[in-house]
């Protein structure tokens, strides 16, 4: 179970890296919009985040429920915003995805 937890953690970080890396890469362009990679990465974040909570609970490791609720809400917000931005091709959604992703990273690191 510990190995599975680490696999979820690695893929969770891959999802974050894809979101933020793609965000910063597209900032160089003239017309940044949310793409399908953002939606895919957001879904990876949601699934692996739920898997991390499940494995930590199964291993009797501490889980801060309020923190996980906020992270889940932010990850769901990223996914929904990426979907809306991908369909409507509006810049506000692109910037919102980047902001919500950065906020989720801050919650993950700073909330102890």
């Amino acid at each position: 179970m510990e190995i599975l937890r680490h696999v979820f953690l690695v893929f969770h970080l891959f999802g974050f890296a894809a979101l933020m890396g793609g965000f910063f890469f597209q900032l160089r362009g003239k017309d940044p919009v949310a793409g399908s990679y953002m939606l895919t990465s957001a879904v990876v974040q949601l699934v692996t985040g739920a898997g991390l909570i499940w494995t930590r609970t199964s291993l009797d490791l501490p889980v801060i429920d309020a923190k996980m609720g906020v992270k889940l809400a932010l990850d769901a917000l990223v996914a929904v915003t990426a979907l809306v931005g991908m369909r409507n091709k509006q810049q506000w959604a692109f910037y919102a995805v980047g902001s919500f992703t950065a906020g989720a990273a801050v919650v993950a690191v700073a909330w102890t």
Side-chain angles (χ1 to χ4, degrees):
M1 189 68 83
E2 187 68 21
I3 292 173
L4 183 60
R5 185 174 73 87
H6 288 289
V7 168
F8 279 135
L9 180 61
V10 167
F11 280 99
H12 195 68
L13 293 173
F14 284 165
F16 170 74
L19 276 167
M20 288 310 291
F23 176 79
F24 286 127
F25 180 76
Q26 278 203 24
L27 278 177
R28 300 177 355 176
K30 291 182 181 180
D31 238 1
V33 292
S36 62
Y37 73 92
M38 285 186 159
L39 180 60
T40 303
S41 300
V43 170
V44 167
Q45 287 282 102
L46 278 169
V47 170
T48 57
L52 280 168
I53 294 170
W54 172 69
T55 54
R56 287 187 68 86
T57 304
S58 297
L59 291 169
D60 291 327
L61 295 172
V63 175
I64 303 171
D65 292 332
K67 176 182 176 180
M68 294 304 111
V70 170
K71 281 276 293 157
L72 178 65
L74 282 170
D75 288 344
L77 200 55
V78 168
V80 168
T81 307
L83 179 64
V84 168
M86 193 177 77
R87 289 189 176 178
N88 296 339
K89 303 288 185 203
Q90 295 186 1
Q91 283 189 351
W92 69 265
F94 170 78
Y95 292 111
V97 167
S99 299
F100 294 145
T101 302
V106 168
V107 169
V109 172
W111 192 330
T112 56

